[in-house]
Amino acid sequence: MSIITGYSTHDIRFPTSLSGDGTDAMNTDCNYSAAYVILNTTPNADSNAAASDTLKGFGMTFTIGKGNDIVIEAIKQLSDKLVGMPIESLFSDMGAMWELLTSDSQLRWIGPEKGVIHLATGAVANAVWDMYARSRNKPLWKLIVDMTPEEIVKCSSLKYLSDALTPEEAVQMLHERQSTKTEREKRALQEGLRAYSTSVGWMGYTTDKVQRLTKEALDLGFNHFKLKVGVSVDDDLARAKVIRDIIDDPQYQNKDKRVHAKTIEGKNAGPTGNVLMIDANQVWDVEEAIAYVKKLEQCKPWFIEEPTMPDDVLGHARIRKGLKDIGIGVATGEHCANRVLFKQLLQAGAIDVLQIDACRLAGVNECLAVMLLAAKFGVPVCPHAGGVGLCEYVVHLSMIDFISIAPTFDRNVVEWVDHLHEHFKYPVSVNSHGRYNAPLDKSCGYSIEMHQESIEKYTYPDGSYWKYEHPTIISKLQEGRRYV
Amino acid sequence: MSIITGYSTHDIRFPTSLSGDGTDAMNTDCNYSAAYVILNTTPNADSNAAASDTLKGFGMTFTIGKGNDIVIEAIKQLSDKLVGMPIESLFSDMGAMWELLTSDSQLRWIGPEKGVIHLATGAVANAVWDMYARSRNKPLWKLIVDMTPEEIVKCSSLKYLSDALTPEEAVQMLHERQSTKTEREKRALQEGLRAYSTSVGWMGYTTDKVQRLTKEALDLGFNHFKLKVGVSVDDDLARAKVIRDIIDDPQYQNKDKRVHAKTIEGKNAGPTGNVLMIDANQVWDVEEAIAYVKKLEQCKPWFIEEPTMPDDVLGHARIRKGLKDIGIGVATGEHCANRVLFKQLLQAGAIDVLQIDACRLAGVNECLAVMLLAAKFGVPVCPHAGGVGLCEYVVHLSMIDFISIAPTFDRNVVEWVDHLHEHFKYPVSVNSHGRYNAPLDKSCGYSIEMHQESIEKYTYPDGSYWKYEHPTIISKLQEGRRYV
């Protein structure tokens, strides 16, 4: 039987701040980064199993540059806990594996279950899940949809959730979806999963660029588009008008009847059924959010994303109530620290759309718990993606959600950004209808393995890109540091 | 004019796990630790001011061992932002100083405003406050109570709070307290601030030890006592009975009439007016907390502290409602990640007692904001202390609260643990009535400067204690690490 013998970590940063990609009202200079871990195994002495000789687990968490090294330090301390563990004993109780990572009484203090230590837990837990799926020759999503309801619930992080969802209720919910599971799996493989494009409307983009990208996205089959707002009402209205003028043009009629019929409330639908969403990235106080978004009513967005501080459950509930009249919903989640905050957002009726993040939540275990909660409360899960690696991750989560968990999938739509996929060995892709293709490669695991050349080139600060191709940037980034 | 020229950081860990001090249901092996920073300044070339030649700022955040190094990595990256800054320009707008530390768009991603990066911000911001107070030859509390209401509000972190408290309301509240400020300052200097003892009831202690420590604490003048609970009802009841039997003995009649009359609701008062509190350190789910605490009704505690996950605002509200009938209140705060969570705890009516932590909140600025919020909602602030350095910090906060902010102070009581004070240059102390003495030394700043010998001895892993006196422990701590 193979054990985990050690690990390596890699601080990988891409210079995305140079292009203005990923720019919004809060995040003005993102270098999309991966705090990346590889778990190594070898068969132990008494094993004859040649197949597991080279089994590895790949995991990462996403950051936007500085601080990636801090997360890596946390990844090391969590990975230490796995060294020496027989992999099959981890796989046999993935819930216990998650407990092992999150219950260290000393490390828990610097969370608990939030921020750096939780982001790091996401990377490490996902690496174990990746290894588990590879060991079974299945993509991660398939590993999980093939589990029994009891098995899925056993590896979901349900601690602190029982006032909203008990394990028994969760099992019951999953059982109700069992008989139609195969049919949904078939459909997902045929059709893919509906995606939306964030690439059209970053804050740093000119209206010309927004116009060009929106048309391109429509031609690629997308019918949901997101625009960053929150710095200036006039500028927001101007860029929104560019998008609306195009997506409301009858030549771009949305042919996806389900979307047209169900995801949009009457007056915000627009004539073609194409959908606009807006995203403020937390810039407002609560009442300020309501007042500002009311000024954007004519943009007819489906929802306002991250109107205020992500921890503010009651604030989101207040904003949702304040915008109900004008038919604009509330979405949040990419900065939602853990399942307990999601539980409250659902209990308080604070959100119309739940946007989980595959690594801000502590890996697959906690994502399962949150998808189960969302199903209980009837709120669609539309994962946060983009950055680097997030699209690769979340397609697996949405496959699981669609096939095994969600009561309906009419409103669910997965964020898509066409950046940096070339660095992954099993890059995710969208089809000609603007829908995510299901990952099918039996060796893909959780799809997060990067090419060795990419790791080497973009390792910070010693990779060839940062050391040789970009000396100016690196010296600028380092000049502030005067550690004595 | 002097500028910040650089800084040093120190990973300082005390081997408190050896004694069972600090043990509770969640934290079973604490090594009280300080992620410690010293900001250095020199006068710049055109300055003649010899007085500021040696001005330094000392700050730390508290952890319980592992992960202290992760926090230090974050402290370094935040301190970098201060290097080169003229100190007087920092002091002239401490609100802007705090913004500088918390608004880095890349570092914000790995919070935001929570966990490692927020703990680190607490250490760095507090170091600047320490330096500011020293530069004015005043203890930190005195520096702040001498400010105008407008000045206090200007350096309070009020972003995201305006739906509960606007800056204008805060100024107004402080103005209402102005005319009686001097009188309260005089009283605080004469009487000190009421403290409570947590040292009597750690989870690892035998009933004999609990008995001995309770008597000692009564003899020292304490009349509030805290007991750790949550592992076993029988054990909790047994240890609670030991304490109640002693504190209810007429020979220990509490002579502080204000406490007896006002802090305790009728049936829970006990015959002598001495007060028991219980603390579960987050072990329960919401309904489980209610059911468990009901079984402890006969202990007659003032409140249950940390009944569940600290992020669970709605859960705390539910628990408070569930325990109202039996007269047991709810307290939380030592793990409350930031002011936005405190705002919601207050808005939801979830707590009877607010327990701020001087470094889990991001320094003095955010503590001021939370004390202002608490005053608005009429909830007493009883700071979390103990560990290492927390008592030194919080006496300043409670001095500010008592003199400048809180509408009443009848229920306020400051946690006291008599550990590790000997490592500080200006150690805090309690008087013979079990009350904190106000820090008076004009050079004490925020009272957090440690003796150089303590830093050197307990630096981890290379200080003399860890390297030479405790080789067994260190090798045990490191054996898990197999980084490749």
Side-chain angles (χ1 to χ4, degrees):
Chain A
M1 195 155 78
S2 192
I3 63 162
I4 295 181
T5 53
Y7 56 90
S8 64
T9 58
H10 307 272
D11 180 351
I12 304 166
R13 307 191 193 187
F14 298 97
T16 45
S17 59
L18 300 184
S19 64
D21 298 341
T23 305
D24 59 53
M26 184 66 85
N27 307 299
T28 49
D29 60 339
C30 309
N31 283 330
Y32 287 164
S33 301
Y36 192 78
V37 60
I38 306 173
L39 299 176
N40 296 309
T41 66
T42 53
N44 63 21
D46 58 285
S47 166
N48 299 313
S52 60
D53 271 1
T54 57
L55 185 64
K56 289 177 188 286
F58 299 86
M60 58 154 275
T61 196
F62 168 64
T63 80
I64 62 172
K66 246 194 297 188
N68 205 47
D69 45 351
I70 301 173
V71 178
I72 282 180
E73 195 45 48
I75 287 175
K76 289 180 187 173
Q77 300 200 20
L78 291 167
S79 298
D80 284 339
K81 303 176 82 77
L82 297 177
V83 173
M85 299 285 288
I87 59 170
E88 287 302 329
S89 76
L90 289 173
F91 300 161
S92 70
D93 189 346
M94 290 293 274
M97 181 279 295
W98 196 82
E99 281 284 316
L100 176 73
L101 293 179
T102 54
S103 65
D104 182 289
S105 82
Q106 295 187 357
L107 287 176
R108 192 178 183 280
W109 186 271
I110 60 171
E113 302 196 23
K114 59 179 68 67
V116 167
I117 198 75
H118 216 52
L119 286 162
T121 307
V124 178
N126 284 342
V128 179
W129 278 103
D130 178 74
M131 181 186 278
Y132 185 12
R134 286 162 185 265
S135 77
R136 301 304 188 257
N137 288 308
K138 288 179 183 182
L140 187 274
W141 67 264
K142 179 66 174 158
L143 175 79
I144 291 176
V145 302
D146 285 349
M147 288 179 176
T148 65
E150 288 77 7
E151 286 169 336
I152 290 180
V153 169
K154 194 179 165 197
C155 57
S156 303
S157 318
L158 296 179
K159 172 74 181 160
Y160 294 129
L161 302 186
S162 61
D163 55 321
L165 178 74
T166 65
E168 296 72 29
E169 281 177 293
V171 167
Q172 175 66 24
M173 273 171 39
L174 292 171
H175 269 296
E176 285 161 16
R177 313 281 299 138
Q178 281 289 90
S179 64
T180 47
K181 219 171 71 170
T182 318
E183 181 192 314
R184 278 190 303 279
E185 183 173 336
K186 220 163 108 186
R187 223 183 92 199
L189 292 174
Q190 279 169 355
E191 298 177 13
L193 298 174
R194 195 189 306 123
Y196 75 86
S197 172
T198 298
S199 305
V200 305
W202 294 107
M203 199 65 86
Y205 289 2
T206 61
T207 47
D208 279 0
K209 188 166 182 182
V210 171
Q211 189 170 44
R212 177 172 59 80
L213 291 171
T214 305
K215 283 182 184 167
E216 284 176 14
L218 280 159
D219 290 339
L220 289 168
F222 291 99
N223 44 46
H224 287 65
F225 307 88
K226 199 159 78 184
L227 178 71
K228 299 288 180 173
V229 300
V231 172
S232 141
V233 171
D234 289 344
D235 181 66
D236 295 344
L237 288 172
R239 286 181 305 129
K241 188 173 182 314
V242 169
I243 299 179
R244 276 249 80 103
D245 282 352
I246 302 167
I247 68 176
D248 288 350
D249 185 326
Q251 72 168 302
Y252 292 118
Q253 185 66 42
N254 178 359
K255 295 176 193 73
D256 187 340
K257 292 298 178 204
R258 262 173 311 118
V259 182
H260 184 59
K262 296 205 179 168
T263 61
I264 308 297
E265 314 296 340
K267 64 175 170 175
N268 284 326
T272 59
N274 292 316
V275 182
L276 179 66
M277 298 101 95
I278 56 175
D279 183 357
N281 294 85
Q282 315 168 27
V283 291
W284 301 309
D285 274 30
V286 174
E287 297 300 328
E288 192 183 3
I290 298 170
Y292 193 111
V293 174
K294 281 187 171 170
K295 293 183 190 150
L296 303 183
E297 181 180 0
Q298 68 195 83
C299 309
K300 299 178 185 168
W302 176 22
F303 58 69
I304 173 70
E305 178 175 332
E306 288 205 312
T308 190
M309 217 270 182
D311 303 345
D312 199 346
V313 172
L314 301 178
H316 282 83
R318 164 78 190 110
I319 293 166
R320 184 170 181 237
K321 211 172 150 192
L323 297 176
K324 201 146 204 171
D325 278 357
I326 57 170
I328 299 176
V330 170
T332 196
E334 74 180 69
H335 275 88
C336 186
N338 56 49
R339 68 200 176 284
V340 173
L341 280 159
F342 274 124
K343 175 185 78 168
Q344 295 174 83
L345 286 166
L346 293 165
Q347 288 173 320
I351 50 173
D352 298 88
V353 168
L354 189 155
Q355 301 173 306
I356 48 173
D357 182 295
C359 25
R360 191 168 293 275
L361 291 176
V364 174
N365 309 69
E366 196 174 20
C367 289
L368 288 173
V370 171
M371 292 192 294
L372 286 164
L373 276 174
K376 164 94 185 276
F377 285 84
V379 169
V381 175
C382 302
H384 169 238
V388 57
L390 295 180
C391 296
E392 274 67 22
Y393 270 147
V394 299
V395 65
H396 289 271
L397 298 177
S398 284
M399 287 291 288
I400 298 163
D401 193 30
F402 177 61
I403 297 167
S404 296
I405 301 178
T408 71
F409 218 68
D410 294 332
R411 290 169 172 238
N412 301 53
V413 55
V414 187
E415 188 165 14
W416 166 257
V417 184
D418 196 9
H419 293 157
L420 306 174
H421 301 296
E422 66 275 20
H423 300 292
F424 292 87
K425 191 164 171 189
Y426 306 96
V428 76
S429 60
V430 289
N431 65 22
S432 60
H433 302 288
R435 299 170 77 95
Y436 269 89
N437 292 310
L440 293 177
D441 196 304
K442 287 182 172 163
S443 308
C444 77
Y446 203 178
S447 301
I448 213 68
E449 180 180 358
M450 276 194 203
H451 293 300
Q452 191 56 34
E453 313 86 77
S454 295
I455 296 175
E456 283 166 14
K457 182 171 179 183
Y458 291 100
T459 289
Y460 183 90
D462 292 325
S464 63
Y465 176 82
W466 294 104
K467 204 160 184 173
Y468 303 116
E469 298 179 41
H470 225 136
T472 326
I473 286 193
I474 183 107
S475 65
K476 193 172 162 224
L477 286 170
Q478 287 187 333
E479 72 190 354
R481 165 80 52 118
R482 293 208 187 73
Y483 180 58
V484 291
Chain B
M1 194 156 83
S2 193
I3 64 164
I4 295 182
T5 52
Y7 56 91
S8 64
T9 59
H10 307 273
D11 180 352
I12 303 166
R13 307 191 192 187
F14 299 98
T16 44
S17 60
L18 300 183
S19 64
D21 298 340
T23 305
D24 59 53
M26 184 65 85
N27 306 299
T28 49
D29 61 340
C30 309
N31 283 330
Y32 288 163
S33 302
Y36 192 77
V37 60
I38 306 174
L39 300 176
N40 297 309
T41 67
T42 52
N44 61 20
D46 59 287
S47 167
N48 297 313
S52 60
D53 270 2
T54 57
L55 185 66
K56 288 176 188 287
F58 299 86
M60 57 155 276
T61 197
F62 168 64
T63 80
I64 61 173
K66 247 194 298 189
N68 205 46
D69 45 350
I70 301 172
V71 178
I72 282 181
E73 195 46 45
I75 287 175
K76 289 179 187 174
Q77 301 201 19
L78 291 167
S79 298
D80 283 339
K81 302 175 83 74
L82 298 177
V83 173
M85 300 285 288
I87 59 171
E88 288 301 329
S89 77
L90 289 172
F91 301 161
S92 71
D93 189 346
M94 292 293 276
M97 181 280 295
W98 196 83
E99 282 283 316
L100 177 73
L101 293 179
T102 53
S103 64
D104 183 289
S105 82
Q106 295 187 358
L107 288 176
R108 193 178 183 281
W109 186 271
I110 61 172
E113 302 196 22
K114 59 178 69 68
V116 167
I117 197 76
H118 216 53
L119 286 161
T121 306
V124 179
N126 284 342
V128 179
W129 278 103
D130 178 72
M131 182 186 280
Y132 185 12
R134 285 162 185 265
S135 78
R136 301 305 189 256
N137 288 307
K138 290 180 181 181
L140 188 273
W141 67 265
K142 180 65 174 159
L143 175 78
I144 291 175
V145 301
D146 286 348
M147 288 179 176
T148 64
E150 288 76 9
E151 285 168 337
I152 291 180
V153 169
K154 194 178 166 196
C155 58
S156 303
S157 318
L158 297 179
K159 173 73 183 161
Y160 294 129
L161 302 185
S162 61
D163 54 321
L165 178 73
T166 64
E168 296 72 28
E169 281 177 294
V171 167
Q172 174 66 22
M173 273 171 40
L174 292 172
H175 269 295
E176 284 162 16
R177 312 282 299 139
Q178 280 289 91
S179 64
T180 47
K181 222 172 70 171
T182 319
E183 181 193 314
R184 279 191 301 280
E185 182 173 335
K186 220 163 106 186
R187 223 181 94 199
L189 292 174
Q190 279 170 357
E191 298 178 9
L193 298 174
R194 195 189 305 123
Y196 74 85
S197 172
T198 298
S199 305
V200 306
W202 293 109
M203 199 64 89
Y205 290 0
T206 62
T207 48
D208 280 359
K209 188 167 183 181
V210 170
Q211 189 170 44
R212 176 172 60 78
L213 292 172
T214 305
K215 284 182 183 166
E216 284 175 14
L218 279 159
D219 290 339
L220 290 168
F222 291 98
N223 45 46
H224 287 66
F225 307 88
K226 200 160 79 183
L227 178 71
K228 299 289 181 174
V229 300
V231 172
S232 141
V233 172
D234 290 343
D235 181 66
D236 296 343
L237 288 172
R239 286 180 305 129
K241 189 174 181 315
V242 169
I243 299 180
R244 276 248 80 105
D245 282 352
I246 302 167
I247 67 177
D248 289 348
D249 186 326
Q251 71 167 302
Y252 293 117
Q253 184 67 40
N254 178 359
K255 292 173 195 77
D256 187 341
K257 292 300 177 203
R258 263 171 311 120
V259 182
H260 185 60
K262 296 204 177 168
T263 61
I264 309 299
E265 314 295 342
K267 65 176 171 178
N268 284 326
T272 58
N274 291 316
V275 182
L276 179 65
M277 297 101 95
I278 55 175
D279 183 358
N281 294 83
Q282 316 167 27
V283 290
W284 301 309
D285 274 30
V286 173
E287 296 301 328
E288 193 183 2
I290 298 171
Y292 193 111
V293 175
K294 281 187 170 170
K295 291 182 191 151
L296 303 182
E297 181 180 358
Q298 66 196 83
C299 310
K300 299 180 187 168
W302 176 21
F303 59 68
I304 172 71
E305 177 175 333
E306 289 205 311
T308 190
M309 217 271 184
D311 302 345
D312 199 346
V313 172
L314 300 178
H316 282 83
R318 164 79 190 109
I319 293 166
R320 185 172 182 236
K321 210 172 151 191
L323 297 176
K324 201 146 203 172
D325 278 357
I326 56 171
I328 299 176
V330 170
T332 196
E334 75 180 68
H335 276 88
C336 186
N338 55 49
R339 68 200 177 285
V340 174
L341 281 159
F342 273 123
K343 175 185 78 168
Q344 295 174 84
L345 286 166
L346 293 165
Q347 287 173 320
I351 50 174
D352 299 87
V353 169
L354 187 155
Q355 302 173 307
I356 48 173
D357 182 294
C359 26
R360 191 169 294 276
L361 290 177
V364 174
N365 310 68
E366 195 173 21
C367 289
L368 288 173
V370 171
M371 293 192 293
L372 287 164
L373 276 174
K376 164 94 186 274
F377 285 86
V379 168
V381 175
C382 302
H384 168 239
V388 57
L390 294 181
C391 297
E392 275 66 23
Y393 270 146
V394 299
V395 64
H396 290 270
L397 297 177
S398 284
M399 287 292 287
I400 298 163
D401 194 29
F402 177 60
I403 297 167
S404 297
I405 300 178
T408 70
F409 218 67
D410 294 333
R411 289 170 172 236
N412 300 54
V413 55
V414 187
E415 187 164 14
W416 166 256
V417 184
D418 196 9
H419 292 157
L420 306 175
H421 301 296
E422 66 275 20
H423 300 293
F424 291 87
K425 192 164 170 190
Y426 306 96
V428 76
S429 60
V430 289
N431 65 22
S432 60
H433 302 288
R435 298 170 77 94
Y436 269 90
N437 291 311
L440 294 178
D441 196 305
K442 286 180 174 167
S443 308
C444 77
Y446 203 177
S447 300
I448 212 67
E449 181 179 358
M450 277 194 200
H451 293 301
Q452 191 56 36
E453 312 86 76
S454 295
I455 296 175
E456 282 166 12
K457 182 170 179 183
Y458 291 101
T459 289
Y460 184 92
D462 291 325
S464 63
Y465 176 83
W466 292 104
K467 203 158 183 175
Y468 303 116
E469 298 180 41
H470 225 136
T472 328
I473 287 193
I474 183 108
S475 65
K476 193 171 162 220
L477 287 170
Q478 287 188 333
E479 72 189 355
R481 164 81 50 119
R482 295 209 186 73
Y483 179 62
V484 292

